[in-house]
Amino acid sequence: MLLQIIFYVAIAAEAMTAALAAGRRKMDWFGVCVLACVTALGGGTARDLVLGHYPLIWVENPYLLIICCAAAFITIALARYMAALRWPFLLLDALGLAAFTIIGCNVALEMGQQPIIVVVAGMITGIAGGIMRDILCNEVPLVFSSELYATVAIISGTLYYLGRSFDVPHDLLVLGTIAIGFALRVAAIVWKLEMPKFVYDKELR
Amino acid sequence: MLLQIIFYVAIAAEAMTAALAAGRRKMDWFGVCVLACVTALGGGTARDLVLGHYPLIWVENPYLLIICCAAAFITIALARYMAALRWPFLLLDALGLAAFTIIGCNVALEMGQQPIIVVVAGMITGIAGGIMRDILCNEVPLVFSSELYATVAIISGTLYYLGRSFDVPHDLLVLGTIAIGFALRVAAIVWKLEMPKFVYDKELR
Amino acid sequence: MLLQIIFYVAIAAEAMTAALAAGRRKMDWFGVCVLACVTALGGGTARDLVLGHYPLIWVENPYLLIICCAAAFITIALARYMAALRWPFLLLDALGLAAFTIIGCNVALEMGQQPIIVVVAGMITGIAGGIMRDILCNEVPLVFSSELYATVAIISGTLYYLGRSFDVPHDLLVLGTIAIGFALRVAAIVWKLEMPKFVYDKELR
């Protein structure tokens, strides 16, 4: 229930930040809506394609597309006030990352997938939408080089999987996983925690 | 029947314009063929992946790949004459957009999808091939910022869906939808009709 | 059996060259692992999505992800020694191209696909991982403009399909196809054999 609410709020928040990214590329209203939908729903879509889990969530619940487009148009209308909202967006995105990860793990668990795939499914749900957004904006995906993000999804997913294996009460597990994932992501932003970079500048010869 | 003819002509026309885009990137003959196939058949492929509609049309009818490659080689052979053919290509592309949209709507209708998904399926069929072409050419997809294109697909798809709901005779409906979609697209090119742009140049802080 | 060994070695080699590409983009360790997995396993994934062949190979055998990540970390650890390994990597990649193609053809053959699709499935298995790597690195895919690569996959796939049709003993066929594919690819690198380029620099008007 809480998970559902966070899910919808996070979808809208993802759609809004994607709309701002579209605005930086001077896209038209259609492009803004597509980028909002792809970013907010792309993670779940990638997970479902990879697992062969049909129907896709937004094909079954098309109102999700409407939520994304509505969030996009709200962003267009209120663009002048958005610059001050960096922190609310970051916090909602951190909540959403944890919620998306749990939802993705659940899909894989229900399909009886192996442990690694459960965690990977959670991670894909959390990060693939942003990767698609960056590809459509013609950029190297941000998630490959910025503050801990995918790592947070992997840790949250692993905790959630372990909790399910040890029969931790579900509500407690969801709350705990979201709290830990949220705290980790916020800590990563505040203290600029990053994975080590791999810098290689030679050509093979 | 008419729809089938327009479908094949549009496939070939899409493949030819994609081949020219490949030529601008100095691709080799193989790259030209891949870009032609992806552009002409990518829309239907994306739709089928998203709907879980197997087998894909070109997997079932591999001669579609041959049509695309043949169109690519004709383009290579006759490249010097192509520059004068902007308008024929634009007109064929406009016809194709309407035809692809109708075909996409039909696939979703046969699967019993909800109204929004029917229109979205039509739109994906019409535009996703061009998006894939632009990604492979390392550009921000043109469809997000140029003259009305996706909008034409959405309008055509909505009209077609409404017509099917109200039992308009099918031949009449197909002809009417193609005529309206074609006219809209040509009008958009002639009068440079565009969706409003969303321009946002601030960073969140 | 030999095919299996070559398959694993090639997966690791693909992952290692992808890790070097990630290092040139200054990605973090997570990005390096994702790029390694996508490059090494993306070809098989694309083939399976297109054919509707579930479960995907790495979803069924998640240890493949571990092999790719391990190869990525070995690359990070031994990066200083990698520059001298251009030829070993090229040779392993050439072996892998032939092995991936055969494996892809086999999947399509088992599904009873038509001849063209068998060869296309082999080719996709051989080349799509590299295309995904280049898209994630924000570059026009190399395979569209460099020495014969996809062509080698198409020739290997066609030979393998013909061999299967004429009941050539399977071990002999696999060995022969790999030998020919390997030799062709190495010849292409040594003598810089390329497909003709299509260069087009006009805008349509």
Side-chain angles (χ1 to χ4, degrees):
Chain A
M1 179 63 191
L2 178 73
L3 198 59
Q4 281 299 95
I5 294 172
I6 293 179
F7 175 70
Y8 289 118
V9 172
I11 293 259
E14 296 287 330
M16 294 175 97
T17 50
L20 293 178
R24 277 187 215 104
R25 296 272 156 186
K26 301 183 177 40
M27 290 186 185
D28 64 25
W29 289 1
F30 170 75
V32 175
C33 286
V34 170
L35 208 68
C37 291
V38 167
T39 306
L41 304 172
T45 300
R47 175 203 64 220
D48 287 348
L49 290 181
V50 151
L51 298 181
H53 179 257
Y54 288 101
L56 302 194
I57 185 169
W58 56 268
V59 172
E60 201 171 14
N61 305 301
Y63 61 84
L64 287 171
L65 298 172
I66 295 172
I67 292 179
C68 292
C69 292
F73 280 112
I74 291 172
T75 308
I76 293 174
L78 303 180
R80 78 185 67 182
Y81 309 110
M82 289 288 169
L85 298 179
R86 179 170 177 251
W87 269 103
F89 276 129
L90 282 177
L91 296 181
L92 289 176
D93 178 73
L95 267 184
L97 177 62
F100 283 12
T101 300
I102 292 176
I103 290 167
C105 290
N106 274 332
V107 169
L109 280 167
E110 274 161 36
M111 295 179 77
Q113 301 288 354
Q114 301 172 62
I116 294 180
I117 299 304
V118 171
V119 176
V120 169
M123 186 195 75
I124 291 177
T125 313
I127 71 168
I131 293 178
M132 293 180 195
R133 177 198 61 211
D134 294 341
I135 290 176
L136 288 175
C137 287
N138 201 15
E139 286 169 11
V140 176
L142 203 60
V143 70
F144 294 159
S145 61
S146 52
E147 292 92 2
L148 297 186
Y149 194 89
T151 314
V152 174
I154 293 173
I155 294 173
S156 312
T158 307
L159 285 175
Y160 183 75
Y161 176 77
L162 291 175
R164 288 282 299 250
S165 306
F166 290 107
D167 283 324
V168 176
H170 196 242
D171 287 358
L172 185 68
L173 180 59
V174 168
L175 270 178
T177 307
I178 288 181
I180 292 171
F182 180 77
L184 274 177
R185 173 66 185 148
V186 172
I189 300 171
V190 171
W191 290 302
K192 294 194 187 309
L193 306 180
E194 296 181 359
M195 289 279 274
K197 296 274 193 304
F198 174 42
V199 179
Y200 186 80
D201 52 12
K202 279 180 279 228
E203 290 302 313
L204 298 184
R205 66 188 140 73
Chain B
M1 179 61 192
L2 177 72
L3 197 57
Q4 282 299 95
I5 294 172
I6 294 179
F7 174 70
Y8 289 118
V9 172
I11 292 259
E14 296 287 330
M16 294 175 97
T17 51
L20 294 177
R24 277 186 215 104
R25 295 271 155 185
K26 301 183 177 40
M27 289 185 187
D28 65 25
W29 289 1
F30 170 75
V32 175
C33 286
V34 170
L35 209 68
C37 290
V38 167
T39 307
L41 303 172
T45 300
R47 175 203 63 220
D48 286 348
L49 290 181
V50 150
L51 298 180
H53 179 258
Y54 287 100
L56 303 194
I57 186 169
W58 56 268
V59 172
E60 200 171 13
N61 306 301
Y63 61 85
L64 286 170
L65 298 172
I66 296 173
I67 293 178
C68 292
C69 292
F73 280 112
I74 291 172
T75 309
I76 293 173
L78 304 181
R80 78 186 66 182
Y81 309 110
M82 289 289 170
L85 298 180
R86 181 171 175 250
W87 268 102
F89 276 129
L90 282 176
L91 297 180
L92 289 176
D93 178 72
L95 265 183
L97 178 61
F100 282 12
T101 301
I102 292 175
I103 290 167
C105 291
N106 274 332
V107 169
L109 280 166
E110 274 161 36
M111 295 179 76
Q113 300 289 354
Q114 300 171 62
I116 293 180
I117 299 302
V118 170
V119 175
V120 168
M123 186 195 76
I124 290 176
T125 314
I127 72 168
I131 293 177
M132 293 181 196
R133 177 198 61 212
D134 293 343
I135 290 176
L136 287 176
C137 287
N138 201 15
E139 286 169 10
V140 175
L142 203 61
V143 69
F144 294 160
S145 61
S146 52
E147 291 94 2
L148 298 185
Y149 194 87
T151 314
V152 173
I154 293 172
I155 294 173
S156 311
T158 307
L159 285 176
Y160 183 75
Y161 176 77
L162 291 175
R164 287 283 296 252
S165 306
F166 290 106
D167 284 323
V168 176
H170 195 241
D171 287 358
L172 184 67
L173 179 58
V174 168
L175 270 179
T177 307
I178 289 180
I180 292 171
F182 180 78
L184 274 176
R185 172 66 185 149
V186 172
I189 300 170
V190 171
W191 289 302
K192 295 194 187 305
L193 306 181
E194 296 181 0
M195 289 280 273
K197 295 275 191 306
F198 174 42
V199 179
Y200 187 79
D201 52 12
K202 278 180 280 231
E203 288 302 314
L204 298 184
R205 65 187 141 74
Chain C
M1 180 61 192
L2 177 73
L3 198 58
Q4 282 299 94
I5 295 172
I6 294 179
F7 175 69
Y8 289 117
V9 173
I11 293 258
E14 296 287 330
M16 294 176 96
T17 51
L20 293 177
R24 275 185 217 106
R25 296 271 155 187
K26 301 183 179 38
M27 290 186 185
D28 64 24
W29 289 2
F30 170 75
V32 175
C33 286
V34 170
L35 208 69
C37 291
V38 167
T39 306
L41 304 172
T45 300
R47 174 204 64 219
D48 287 347
L49 289 180
V50 150
L51 297 181
H53 179 257
Y54 288 101
L56 302 195
I57 185 168
W58 56 269
V59 172
E60 201 172 14
N61 306 301
Y63 62 84
L64 286 170
L65 299 172
I66 295 173
I67 293 179
C68 292
C69 292
F73 280 111
I74 291 173
T75 309
I76 292 174
L78 303 180
R80 78 186 66 181
Y81 309 110
M82 290 289 170
L85 298 179
R86 180 171 176 251
W87 269 101
F89 277 130
L90 282 177
L91 296 180
L92 289 176
D93 178 73
L95 266 184
L97 177 62
F100 283 12
T101 301
I102 292 175
I103 290 167
C105 290
N106 274 332
V107 169
L109 279 166
E110 274 160 36
M111 296 179 75
Q113 300 289 354
Q114 300 172 61
I116 293 180
I117 298 304
V118 171
V119 176
V120 168
M123 186 196 75
I124 291 176
T125 312
I127 71 167
I131 293 178
M132 293 180 196
R133 177 198 61 212
D134 294 342
I135 290 176
L136 288 176
C137 287
N138 201 14
E139 286 170 9
V140 175
L142 203 61
V143 69
F144 294 161
S145 61
S146 53
E147 291 93 0
L148 298 185
Y149 194 89
T151 315
V152 174
I154 293 171
I155 294 172
S156 310
T158 307
L159 285 176
Y160 183 74
Y161 176 77
L162 291 175
R164 288 281 297 251
S165 307
F166 289 107
D167 285 322
V168 176
H170 195 242
D171 287 358
L172 185 68
L173 180 58
V174 168
L175 269 179
T177 307
I178 289 181
I180 292 172
F182 180 78
L184 274 176
R185 173 64 185 150
V186 173
I189 300 171
V190 173
W191 290 301
K192 295 195 186 308
L193 306 181
E194 296 180 0
M195 289 279 274
K197 296 276 191 306
F198 174 42
V199 179
Y200 187 78
D201 52 12
K202 278 179 279 226
E203 290 301 314
L204 298 185
R205 64 188 142 72

